[in-house]
Every structure is written in C-alpha cells, then in structure tokens.
C-alpha cells in the first residue's frame, strides 16, 4: 500500500526505489537486533540470578531446620540446687537421660560413641532451660536437644551412610582384569587366577623359599595383565594376604622355583565386594561404627527425632559446632557498624554535597575535589580497610574488631556514594524552584535548606540506602580491622566490644570443614540477601512516598 | 502605522487617554547598564527611567537582553557565576549595588514573577507565607494569616482557593499557579514587581485574568513586564521599551511606540518585519 500511495516524490528522491526499501528494511532489522540483544542480555542476567538463588536455596534450606532428639529428664533436686541451678553437673544429667533410651549399651567406648549422637552443646541447652525455669526442678521435663552435625546431615539426607570405596579409575582397572577372565568366586571369596613367575633371584640363598619376596613376584606377575598401565594402582586389587598364599603354594612344592605357576590369589576386600555384589562401599568415615546408625534408627523409630525450625540461626551466637551456630553476633555487629556508618556518613555526605553543589565557587580546587570524590567511589574497599587499620587502629589506638571502627571504615567507603547521589539529587531539583525562592528574598542557605534539600531528599535517601546496603555486604575492610572475631556468646555486645559482621561470618563459616557449615553458610547468605532486599524495598518505598511533583 | 491591523489600532487609541498622566520622580533609574556573560557582552549601556506606579513593558526579539536587564533590577544576575554587571541602577535614588543594601532585602522589595509558574511544592498557604516568614514581616500567626489572605485577595485568587489553603500549590491550574506566584511576590509588600513573560505559558482566559490583575496592582506598585506579545504590551503598559541586540533602541509612551516610533528598527519589529 505504501509504495502505491507514496511512490516517487517531486524532490528527486525515489522513496519506493529498491535501495530505499532496502534501507528501511535494514533499519527495522537493526531495531529488532538491538531489541534482541537487550532481551538476551536481560535473559542471561535473570538466568544467572536464578541459578544463584536456586543453588543458595538448595544448599541453605537445610539449615533452617535442625534435627533434634527429645530427652526426657528428671530434674533431680538432689543433683540441681534451687539456689544455684546453673552449677549442677548437666553433662552427667544429659548423658544419663540419653543413656536411658539404650539400656543395652554398656562399656565405656560404646557409651562414648552413643553420646556422640547428641550435640556437645546439649548440656548448656538443658542448663539454660533449668536456669530459665527453676520451678521445674523436681519434675520430669521433655527437652529437645540438637543431634550432632553428622547425624543432622544424615537425617536430612545430605550425607549418606555409606560412600563408594573405589574411584571410577580403580573400577576401570578392575573391569580390565575381569575381562581377561581371571576373576572368579570360590568358596564365597573372590579370587584372581594369576600367572606368577617364581623368580629364583627373589629367593634368597639363606632362608630359602620361606624368606622369598613373594609380594614382588605377585606384583611382577600382575604387571603382565596391565601392559599399558603405569600407575601401579592395580596392585591394590590383590589382597595383602596373597603373599602368604603364594608362599604356601611354593612351600608345598619347592620345585616350582624358576617356573611360572598359576595361583588363585585372594582379592582385597573392596574388590571382593565389587566382584560379588557389583558395588563396593564403605561406611562414611564421619561415623565411628555401624552400631551408631542402629542407635539413631531406634531413636527415630520411637518418634524421638523432630526437625523444628532453626530459631537458633537467628538467636544463637557463633559456635564451633554447626548445629549450634547462629547469626545473632553477626547481625548485632553488622547492625551496630551500619548505625555508626550512617551516623557518620549521612550528615558529612550531605553537608559536603550541599556545599559543593550550592555554595562552592567553580574553580580548580573544587574541580580537583570533585574528581577525587568520584574516583574514591571506585577505590577497592580493601584499601579503605587498610586505611582503617593504619589510621584508626595503629595511630589512634582504637579497639580492634569493634563495630565502632568497622562502622568508621564503612563510612569512609559509603561517603563518596552518598556525596555523588546527593549531588545528583540536588542537580535534579529544577532551577525554577531556586529562582522562586531567591525571588522572594531567600538567602542562599535558605534556598538550600528550605527548598532544594527537601526536594532532593528522596534521591538522597535512595542513594544513602544503596550505599548502606553496599556497606552491609562489604567483607574485605572488616577482615582487615579484625571484625571476624569468634564470638560464641551474645552477652557482650557493644560498640567497642569485639564483634562479627554478617559477611565476615559467612566468610568464616565458608572456611569451616564441618559439613553442617555448608548449609549454614548458604543460609547466612540468604539472610544477608534478605536484608539487602529489605533495604532496597525501603529505598523504593521512601522514594515513592517522599517524591513530590513540581 | 498603516501596517497595524484594525484591532490593535482600536486598543491603542483606547489606551491613550489613561497613559497621559504624568508621574513625578522616576521609581527606577538605570544608567549605562552593561551585562557581560563571560567574554560576551549581552547588554550595552542601557539608560532608562521607570516611572512610579505604572507598568513598563520591555519588548524585543528573543535574545535581545530584555530579560537580562530585568534580572539586573533585583540583582538576580548575581546568582549566575559568569555574569558581570556594570553601570548604576537606583531605586528611589538608592544605588542597588550599595554595600549597605542587603541583596536579600532588595529581592523582598523587588518581587519577581517568572515565565513558567513556579510555586513551591508546598501548600498554597505556605507558598504565600514563606516570604513574610523568612523576613519576619508577621508578628504572630494571626498576622501571617492576614498577610496571606490579603495577598491572595490582591492576586484575585482568594475566592478560588480559600477552602483549600492547605492543598499543594502545584495542584492548581496554570493560570491559578501564576496568580499564586504573584500573590507570593506581593506578600513581602514590595513596591516593584518584575514580570518575566508571565503569560507565555497561559491560555488566553488565564492571560486576561493576569492582565486585569496587573492593571489593578499598578495603583500601588511599579511593574515591569517583559513580553513577546505586542498586543499585551499595548494592553497593560503605559510606557514601552524596545530592546534589540542588547541595545535599548527606544523607550517612550506605549501609544507613541506603537503608533509613531522614532526608530526604523522599532517600526520594523512592531510591524512584524523581524522578530
């Protein structure tokens, strides 16, 4: 339709010429391409974010429940005094209560294995319960105490009871041997029928066949079945008792020395299993013995195992035991540090920005300051940490690991962000408002304080909250000033007390070898992300609420 | 003046009678006022007397310096870092550059109304009360209420807004906003009001209301209005100054400028040859 109505115009350009139409087509194609790039970029970002969240939730959700065992304890007034309920031997009380579930277990080492099922912190949990409820002394109470980390992980099916004993390349070696038809089962035991050369050189003249190096002979014999294999890990396939077997063969018939004999050698235990059952597993080394599983299963069968929500994650302080570790210390440390950060950076940042934007003359000095502020926003945070270490800790001698210093370092880091955001917000206030205020005779500070600053406030607050959210997630500067102290109690919280912060807590948990800290780490990251999302929502809310039209 | 259309001539002749009255000593005297923006000179040696209690219109093509000169009178050019003003301007015989004179006080005494209505994003009441409050013109709340009411009354806005003084000033219509700005300007009881194209963003009906208001305010105030509309200049002003390329070409009674200008450039501009 377009080509018939438009066609050639009088101006000399033929809008319907093929070249023109091609150009239009190319332009549309370019539009679509640009859109596609944008959508593809957003899609990639969303997908990666999705992967991050899925993996965090997968790893972290387990930490939001704790496997606990119900103890029924008689709080014996003879053992626990009313006056000093905190000083009884709770370890004994807890262990006796637990032992009561297993009357059959006797012997010190068995008992010790039994108590390993409970968390080492159980004593303190019961003590805290009694101290909190002294009226219960003399009664029978039921208290949930966490089980120890391996059983927690076992119950949540994060770790298995048995793990593969052999790696895939060992199994490949085994299969290679099997294909050569030398493996068989005889009298319930796996054997390998191997040709071994009874090397006279390995039979010493002194001692004769009794002292010969049969082990070496077997290894040499095996060699011929693995011509292309250099690792020698195939030697494990044959049991260590094979040498004795060969010795008995040779001892029975010394004439075989110097000849090749075919002997049936026993397989090592794991390979024997593999041959007979098709799989080779061993008990997970995190557990002491198989009887522990039976004990735990019996607890489960009796309905004594429960998995309530882990309030401890928010109310406990850090611990060496993952089933007891919580974020209370880290949350309070982060909160205090952020408070200091806000109290310092908000007024200083706004004052700086207002001066630079509204009052400062435009000259070389202010240009230099401006450039430096913009560059400071890009300085790696670890540098601020070093500055804090050198200045606040070493020069001023302020307390190490304290939220006060952490907050000061974070404030240094947040200041440029706040200044830049505030200046942008001030710039966005329309000049007509300044003119109006000047026009009725407002002085410059009145223009700034009465009109420009209130109008810029939504932008300033947004920038501040974004800056604080950034500070909340900052790890490196806090590590440098030592805000990764191990704080196992929430009793001493203060600006100058040693403390932990959320990101440093995550860092330290991520470093811990216990399996339970893996999910604890992910859970802590989820908590941190939750706080960041809340702060950003607050920023959006404040902007919506305070934004005024002009 | 054969080029002027019949309507304009009619308006002009009806105005002639009202402009005849002579006024004593001029309210504003400007001598050799030049303005530089950096290296560039925007205004060249302007000499003008603005008579008391009258309306003077500044006309001229865009960029001719009329707004620049207007902004010299309340020293708004001070707020532009690269602007430099030379020459003397005196209000009631007092030099406005006198270090004794506070610029904040000057701006309270010389109100200003801008091209685009720019009420503060606050309530109607606060818009008007702000000036008196920062200058301490009201002794108490009742006093302030009275000032706000009188100012809105004089700006012809009171009837429309008296029930919603606490509502935001930005919620009013464009014409009402501009009258609110005028109310805000007269709330500090100035004796001069500078208007920089106050009607250019308004519709004809709102423009008519503002022009009526200007005519009423003229009884007690000296008003300078910058306008692009020659009809408006003819309707509201007693004297008119024509600026061109930073030079004050001609300044005379409005009727004279529009019927018998002495300069060829004025003639060309008002007959629409350029601008």
């Amino acid at each position: 339709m377009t080509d018939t109505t438009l066609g050639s115009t009088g101006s000399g350009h033929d809008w319907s010429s093929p070249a023109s139409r091609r150009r239009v087509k190319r332009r549309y194609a370019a539009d679509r391409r640009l859109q596609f790039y944008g959508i593809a970029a957003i899609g990639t970002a969303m997908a990666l974010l999705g992967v991050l969240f899925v993996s965090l939730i997968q790893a972290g959700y387990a930490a939001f429940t704790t496997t606990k065992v119900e103890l029924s304890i008689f709080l014996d007034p003879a053992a626990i005094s009313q006056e000093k309920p905190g000083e009884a031997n709770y370890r004994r009380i807890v262990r006796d209560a637990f032992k009561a579930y297993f009357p059959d277990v006797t012997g010190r080492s068995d008992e010790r294995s039994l108590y390993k099922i409970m968390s080492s912190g159980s004593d303190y949990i019961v003590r805290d319960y009694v101290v909190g409820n002294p009226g219960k002394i003399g009664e029978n109470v039921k208290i949930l105490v966490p089980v120890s980390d391996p059983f927690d992980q076992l119950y949540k099916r994060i770790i298995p009871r048995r793990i593969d004993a052999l790696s895939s390349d060992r199994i490949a070696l085994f299969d290679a041997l099997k294909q050569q038809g030398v493996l068989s089962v005889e009298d319930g035991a796996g054997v390998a029928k191997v040709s071994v050369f009874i090397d006279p050189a390995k039979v010493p003249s002194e001692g004769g066949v009794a002292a010969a190096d049969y082990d070496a002979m077997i290894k040499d014999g095996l060699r011929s079945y693995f011509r292309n294999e250099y690792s020698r890990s195939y030697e494990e396939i044959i049991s260590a008792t094979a040498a004795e077997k060969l010795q008995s063969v040779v001892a029975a018939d010394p004439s075989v020395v110097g000849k090749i004999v075919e002997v049936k050698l026993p397989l090592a235990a794991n390979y024997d299993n593999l041959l007979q059952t098709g799989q080779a597993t061993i008990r997970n080394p995190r557990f002491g013995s198989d009887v522990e599983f039976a004990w735990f299963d019996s607890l489960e069968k009796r309905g004594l195992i429960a998995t309530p929500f882990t309030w401890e994650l928010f109310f406990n302080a850090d611990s060496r035991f993952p089933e007891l570790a919580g974020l209370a210390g880290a949350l309070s440390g982060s909160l205090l540090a952020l408070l200091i950060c806000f109290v310092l950076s908000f007024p200083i940042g706004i004052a700086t920005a207002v001066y630079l934007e509204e009052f400062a003359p435009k000259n070389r000095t202010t240009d230099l300051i401006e450039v430096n502020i913009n560059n400071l926003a890009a300085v790696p945070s670890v540098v601020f940490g070093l500055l804090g270490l050198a200045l606040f800790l070493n020069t001023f001698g302020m307390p190490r690991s304290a939220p006060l210093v952490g907050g000061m370092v974070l404030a240094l880091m947040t200041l440029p962000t706040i200044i830049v955001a505030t200046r942008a917000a001030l710039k966005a206030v329309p000049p007509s408002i300044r003119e109006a205020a000047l026009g009725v005779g407002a002085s410059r500070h009145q223009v700034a304080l009465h009109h420009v600053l209130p109008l810029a406030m939504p932008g300033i607050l947004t920038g501040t909250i974004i800056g604080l959210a950034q500070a909340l997630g900052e790890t490196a500067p806090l590590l440098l000033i030592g805000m990764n102290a191990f704080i196992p109690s929430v009793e001493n919280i203060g600006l100058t007390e040693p403390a932990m912060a959320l990101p440093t807590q995550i860092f330290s948990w991520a470093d811990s070898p216990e399996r339970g800290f893996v999910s604890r780490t992910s859970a802590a990251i989820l908590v941190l992300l939750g706080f960041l999302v809340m702060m950003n929502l607050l920023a959006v809310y404040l902007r919506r609420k305070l934004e005024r039209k002009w | 003046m054969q080029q002027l259309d019949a309507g304009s001539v009619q308006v002009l002749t009806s105005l002639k009678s009202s402009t005849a009255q002579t006024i004593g000593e001029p309210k504003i005297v400007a001598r050799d006022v030049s303005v530089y923006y950096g290296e560039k000179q925007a205004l060249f040696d302007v000499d003008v007397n603005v008579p008391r209690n009258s309306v003077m219109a500044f006309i001229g093509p865009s960029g001719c310096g009329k707004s620049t000169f207007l902004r010299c009178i309340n020293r708004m050019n001070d707020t532009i870092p690269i602007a430099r003003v030379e020459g003397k301007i005196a209000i009631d015989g007092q030099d406005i550059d006198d270090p004794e004179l506070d610029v904040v006080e000057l701006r309270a005494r010389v109100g200003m109304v801008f091209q685009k209505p720019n009420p503060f994003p606050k309530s109607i009441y606060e818009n008007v009360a702000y000036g008196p409050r920062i200058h301490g013109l009201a002794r108490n709340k009742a006093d302030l209420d009275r000032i706000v009411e009188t100012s809105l009354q004089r700006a012809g806005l009171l009837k429309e807004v008296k029930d919603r003084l606490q509502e935001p000033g930005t919620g009013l219509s464009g014409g009402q906003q501009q009258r609110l700005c005028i109310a805000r300007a007269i709330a500090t009881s100035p004796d001069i009001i500078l208007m920089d194209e106050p009607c250019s963003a308004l519709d004809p009906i709102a423009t008519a209301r503002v022009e009526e208001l200007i005519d009423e305010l003229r009884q007690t105030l000296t008003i300078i209005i910058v306008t692009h509309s020659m009809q408006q200049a003819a309707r509201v002003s007693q004297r008119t100054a024509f600026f061109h390329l930073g030079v004050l070409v001609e300044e005379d009674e409005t009727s004279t400028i529009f019927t018998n200008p002495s300069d060829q450039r004025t003639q060309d501009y008002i007959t629409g040859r350029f601008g």
Side-chain angles (χ1 to χ4, degrees):
Chain A
M1 179 206 151
T2 41
D3 41 33
T4 55
T5 49
L6 286 175
S8 172
T9 57
S11 63
H13 183 77
D14 184 4
W15 290 98
S16 63
S17 75
S20 262
R21 299 188 61 79
R22 268 204 304 282
R23 185 176 305 118
V24 170
K25 247 186 198 154
R26 272 207 303 278
R27 209 155 56 199
Y28 280 123
D31 278 359
R32 277 195 298 272
R33 238 180 0 253
L34 195 64
Q35 272 192 28
F36 171 76
Y37 293 151
I39 291 171
I42 291 174
T44 314
M46 296 296 287
L48 290 175
L49 198 66
V51 168
L52 171 74
F53 269 97
V54 166
S55 70
L56 276 180
I57 290 168
Q58 260 182 358
Y61 84 98
F64 287 101
T65 58
T66 311
T67 312
K68 293 190 176 176
V69 57
E70 187 186 278
L71 291 185
S72 67
I73 303 175
F74 174 59
L75 299 177
D76 188 358
I80 308 165
S81 79
Q82 279 284 358
E83 290 76 38
K84 289 179 176 172
E87 285 181 10
N89 185 355
Y90 284 101
R91 166 175 285 239
R92 190 71 265 143
I93 293 169
V94 169
R95 289 187 165 185
D96 287 347
F98 193 60
K99 175 77 175 43
Y101 289 139
F102 303 96
D104 307 339
V105 176
T106 48
R108 284 192 81 102
S109 77
D110 272 5
E111 281 180 3
R112 207 176 299 131
S113 310
L114 181 65
Y115 300 143
K116 273 193 198 151
I117 294 178
M118 278 191 304
S119 166
S120 327
S122 305
D123 325 348
Y124 305 108
I125 291 167
V126 174
R127 183 194 64 191
D128 290 348
Y129 174 84
V130 176
V131 170
N133 306 281
K136 297 269 185 190
I137 295 174
E139 289 178 33
N140 259 314
V141 293
K142 289 188 187 306
I143 301 177
L144 285 173
V145 297
V147 300
S148 65
D149 182 49
F151 288 95
D152 182 43
Q153 302 294 309
L154 178 73
Y155 192 71
K156 289 170 179 167
R157 294 178 200 288
I158 294 171
I159 58 173
R161 291 173 188 225
R162 302 189 70 81
I163 57 173
D164 286 338
L166 300 170
S167 64
S168 57
D169 50 325
R170 299 282 155 90
I171 291 174
L173 290 175
F174 174 78
D175 286 343
L177 198 60
K178 198 175 172 186
Q179 269 167 22
Q180 298 180 45
V182 294
L183 299 181
S184 59
V185 181
E186 280 185 10
D187 301 333
V191 289
K193 200 161 135 198
V194 189
S195 303
V196 180
F197 174 55
I198 309 299
D199 190 351
K202 291 197 170 87
V203 183
S205 46
E206 234 176 277
V209 291
D213 189 355
Y214 296 107
D215 206 36
M217 291 182 213
I218 291 170
K219 283 175 182 171
D220 286 346
L222 280 174
R223 172 101 235 126
S224 60
Y225 295 90
F226 297 96
R227 294 210 179 278
N228 300 318
E229 182 64 36
Y230 297 99
S231 74
R232 295 200 163 248
S233 39
Y234 55 79
E235 287 167 3
E236 292 174 3
I237 294 176
I238 302 300
S239 162
T241 60
E244 292 168 25
K245 167 94 195 234
L246 185 59
Q247 185 185 11
S248 66
V249 170
V250 178
D253 180 10
S255 67
V256 295
V257 175
K259 295 181 188 154
I260 292 175
V261 289
E262 267 203 340
V263 282
K264 287 178 177 169
L265 300 174
L267 296 182
N270 289 328
Y271 293 90
D272 186 33
N273 278 338
L274 186 59
L275 180 67
Q276 296 199 38
T277 63
Q279 58 181 353
T281 55
I282 52 165
R283 191 182 57 248
N284 193 330
R286 289 171 196 272
F287 300 97
S289 64
D290 284 325
V291 70
E292 288 177 14
F293 295 135
W295 292 331
F296 188 72
D297 288 344
S298 95
L299 284 175
E300 196 184 336
K301 237 175 249 151
R302 282 182 263 177
L304 294 168
I305 302 290
T307 53
F309 184 78
T310 317
W311 290 109
E312 291 90 337
L313 184 63
F314 299 98
F315 297 115
N316 273 15
D318 199 5
S319 168
R320 281 187 299 118
F321 306 106
E323 69 274 13
L324 299 174
L327 289 169
L331 285 174
S332 60
S334 268
L335 200 74
L336 288 175
L338 271 194
L339 190 76
I340 293 292
C341 171
F342 174 78
V343 164
L344 287 177
S345 59
F346 190 66
I348 297 178
I350 289 186
T352 310
V354 168
Y355 176 75
L356 285 177
E357 200 56 45
E358 303 284 321
F359 298 98
K362 297 273 170 283
N363 57 29
R364 216 170 268 265
T365 319
T366 49
D367 277 354
L368 194 71
I369 291 173
E370 191 178 332
V371 167
N372 275 306
I373 288 172
N374 290 337
N375 284 341
L376 275 182
V379 167
S381 55
V382 67
V383 176
F384 287 106
L386 273 176
L387 175 71
L389 177 63
L391 196 66
F392 299 143
L393 296 190
N394 290 350
T395 309
F396 297 160
M398 298 177 84
R400 197 167 293 272
S401 307
L404 177 68
V405 183
M408 287 165 76
V409 171
L410 292 178
L412 288 179
M413 228 195 68
T414 315
L415 260 178
T417 313
I418 292 184
I419 294 172
V420 170
T422 304
R423 292 192 67 179
L426 293 174
K427 272 204 185 91
V429 173
S432 65
I433 296 295
R434 281 173 236 261
E435 285 194 328
L438 285 171
V440 295
S443 65
R444 287 167 87 186
H445 91 267
Q446 285 169 330
V447 174
L449 292 186
H450 297 172
H451 300 283
V452 179
L453 206 53
L455 287 178
M457 209 34 99
I460 296 174
L461 285 178
T462 308
T464 306
I465 292 173
I466 300 294
L468 287 180
Q470 220 178 337
L472 176 65
E474 208 51 73
T475 322
L478 297 184
L479 287 180
L480 277 171
I481 58 142
M483 244 184 105
N484 52 347
F486 177 71
I487 309 295
S489 115
V490 283
E491 277 154 29
N492 291 321
I493 288 173
L495 284 178
T496 53
E497 300 292 333
M500 193 74 169
L502 261 181
T504 49
Q505 182 77 76
I506 289 168
F507 184 75
S508 98
W509 281 357
D511 245 7
S512 305
E514 287 85 355
R515 196 66 178 75
F517 278 123
V518 175
S519 52
R520 279 288 203 266
T521 306
S522 292
I525 292 173
L526 284 175
V527 171
L528 178 64
L529 286 178
F531 274 95
L532 293 180
V533 168
M534 281 195 308
M535 288 176 84
N536 280 296
L537 286 181
L538 180 70
V540 171
Y541 170 77
L542 283 176
R543 195 165 51 210
R544 291 266 166 83
K545 179 140 173 30
L546 296 178
E547 201 163 51
R548 278 184 274 193
K549 302 263 178 288
W550 45 71
Chain B
M1 284 319 304
Q2 56 277 38
Q3 283 89 352
L4 271 182
D5 61 273
S8 309
V9 173
Q10 213 172 16
V11 171
L12 292 180
T13 41
S14 72
L15 269 172
K16 254 186 180 176
S17 54
S18 67
T19 57
Q21 52 192 343
T22 41
I23 302 120
E25 198 181 314
K27 179 78 180 170
I28 305 169
V29 178
R31 289 288 170 267
D32 297 329
V33 176
S34 297
V35 177
Y36 302 82
Y37 290 120
E39 293 297 303
K40 191 175 163 287
Q41 189 167 6
L43 207 58
F44 296 84
D45 303 321
V46 172
D47 281 342
V48 73
N49 293 344
V50 180
R52 198 173 295 278
N53 293 1
S54 69
V55 179
M56 177 178 267
F58 289 175
I59 60 169
S62 295
C64 67
K66 52 193 191 303
S67 288
T68 301
F69 180 60
L70 191 76
R71 294 166 68 95
C72 291
I73 298 171
N74 66 348
R75 288 179 55 188
M76 279 292 265
N77 283 332
D78 290 10
T79 61
I80 304 168
I82 56 165
R84 186 160 53 84
V85 182
E86 286 175 0
K88 287 250 175 283
I89 298 175
I91 294 173
D92 289 330
Q94 189 189 18
D95 185 356
I96 63 164
D97 283 317
D98 191 340
E100 299 279 300
L101 179 74
D102 182 30
V103 65
V104 164
E105 189 195 320
L106 171 74
R107 290 197 193 124
R109 281 175 50 202
V110 183
M112 190 155 189
V113 177
F114 298 85
Q115 180 170 2
K116 205 170 153 261
N118 57 353
F120 300 132
K122 301 178 183 211
S123 70
I124 294 170
Y125 182 92
E126 276 305 312
N127 260 285
V128 183
Y130 180 69
R133 188 178 286 145
I134 60 171
H135 295 295
L137 301 184
R139 283 181 305 278
N140 51 41
K141 178 82 171 73
D143 221 13
L144 193 61
D145 287 350
R146 194 184 44 73
I147 293 176
V148 171
E149 199 181 317
T150 331
S151 306
L152 286 170
Q153 172 79 50
R154 288 179 72 196
L157 195 60
L158 187 61
K159 235 185 270 170
E160 293 156 61
V161 302
K162 66 165 176 278
D163 300 327
R164 43 180 180 145
L165 287 178
Q166 296 311 322
E167 283 175 33
T170 43
L172 298 171
S173 74
Q176 288 173 324
Q177 285 191 19
Q178 195 60 298
R179 278 181 283 144
L180 178 61
C181 292
I182 293 173
R184 181 176 66 191
I186 58 184
T188 53
S189 39
D191 31 38
I192 300 169
I193 291 195
L194 309 174
M195 297 188 172
D196 193 351
E197 299 182 38
C199 300
S200 65
L202 303 185
D203 65 61
I205 296 170
T207 302
R209 292 292 311 269
V210 172
E211 286 179 6
E212 267 172 47
L213 178 58
I214 291 172
D215 211 44
E216 285 162 28
L217 293 175
R218 172 166 74 85
Q219 308 306 321
T220 50
L221 295 168
T222 305
I223 295 172
I224 302 178
I225 177 169
V226 166
T227 178
H228 266 126
S229 156
M230 280 174 280
Q231 284 85 346
Q232 184 174 54
R235 282 192 301 262
V236 302
S237 69
Q238 284 73 55
R239 295 186 73 85
T240 297
F242 171 63
F243 286 78
H244 187 226
L245 299 175
V247 177
L248 175 60
V249 175
E250 190 175 354
E251 187 273 326
D252 209 329
E253 289 203 2
T254 301
S255 50
T256 315
I257 291 277
F258 281 98
T259 52
N260 190 19
S262 50
D263 194 287
Q264 185 59 38
R265 286 171 290 180
T266 318
Q267 168 119 15
D268 288 347
Y269 180 69
I270 62 174
T271 53
R273 295 248 173 89
F274 68 88

